[in-house]
């Protein structure tokens, strides 16, 4: 974390009505790619989180709070002791929705591998070492077809 990759975005989700199919969703189901996301959202709602039973539950906004998501790299560092949350956005409120995520990731060349205390006989190593940059670029290329051609 000497030269971390930090990105802040302003996201806009127009209102959606009627049946919202998976290809029309505000943002489809995904986990965040990096270490940590701090999310400020308005009072409109629409964030949904997949719980361990496989049900989508509303991430109802609470005034004056932030949502903190751990991402894939923390999941890899902890060898699945901590899991990145699958989430999506469906804006069926009839109002414009805005959110401001702040993504905090390690240095581009930081090596991400399971921490020794998280690898045990009952939880063998699940991930091979990868650099932060390599992993995030690979995830971007898989999510955005135009990047895979570059």
């Amino acid at each position: 974390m000497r030269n971390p990759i930090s990105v802040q975005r302003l996201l806009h989700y127009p209102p959606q009505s009627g049946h919202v199919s998976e290809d029309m969703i505000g943002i489809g189901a995904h986990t965040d790619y990096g270490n940590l996301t701090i999310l400020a959202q308005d009072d409109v709602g629409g964030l949904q989180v997949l719980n361990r039973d496989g049900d989508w539950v509303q991430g109802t906004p609470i005034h004056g709070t932030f949502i903190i998501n751990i991402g894939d790299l923390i999941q890899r560092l902890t060898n699945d002791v901590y899991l990145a949350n699958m989430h999506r956005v469906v804006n069926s409120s009839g109002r414009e929705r805005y959110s401001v995520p702040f993504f905090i990731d390690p240095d581009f060349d930081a090596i991400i591998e399971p921490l020794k205390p998280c690898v045990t006989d009952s939880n063998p190593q699940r991930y091979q070492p990868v650099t932060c940059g390599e992993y995030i670029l690979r995830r971007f290329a898989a999510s955005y077809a135009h990047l895979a051609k570059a």
Side-chain angles (χ1 to χ4, degrees):
M1 299 295 290
R2 289 184 181 97
N3 296 298
I5 303 168
S6 298
V7 175
Q8 187 165 27
R9 297 178 66 194
L10 173 61
L11 300 175
H12 170 247
Y13 302 92
Q16 299 168 279
S17 60
H19 173 73
V20 180
S21 65
E22 196 64 31
D23 63 340
M24 303 266 305
I25 204 164
I27 186 167
H30 69 285
T31 56
D32 292 340
Y33 305 159
N35 266 8
L36 188 69
T37 304
I38 302 171
L39 178 69
Q41 58 179 344
D42 61 16
D43 64 348
V44 172
L47 177 65
Q48 298 177 345
V49 179
L50 189 64
N51 70 18
R52 291 183 188 237
D53 294 328
D55 299 319
W56 288 104
V57 296
Q58 294 296 323
T60 305
I62 301 171
H63 180 74
T65 64
F66 294 94
I67 292 174
I68 309 296
N69 282 338
I70 64 168
D72 296 346
L73 294 182
I74 294 293
Q75 182 170 326
R76 293 175 76 93
L77 278 172
T78 65
N79 201 41
D80 290 356
V81 172
Y82 293 106
L83 301 176
N85 288 358
M86 182 72 65
H87 55 283
R88 67 184 186 183
V89 174
V90 178
N91 182 11
S92 57
S93 69
R95 298 169 44 201
E96 304 286 321
R97 179 187 191 273
Y98 293 90
S99 69
V100 184
F102 181 58
F103 303 100
I104 305 167
D105 302 325
D107 298 2
F108 189 88
D109 60 353
I111 297 173
I112 307 300
E113 62 185 322
L115 300 168
K116 289 183 184 3
C118 297
V119 178
T120 63
D121 289 341
S122 61
N123 189 29
Q125 184 169 331
R126 300 170 193 268
Y127 304 101
Q128 293 303 310
V130 65
T131 66
C132 170
E134 176 187 358
Y135 181 80
I136 289 176
L137 288 175
R138 191 169 58 219
R139 287 291 311 267
F140 276 136
S143 297
Y144 302 98
H146 69 283
L147 294 176
K149 298 173 188 171

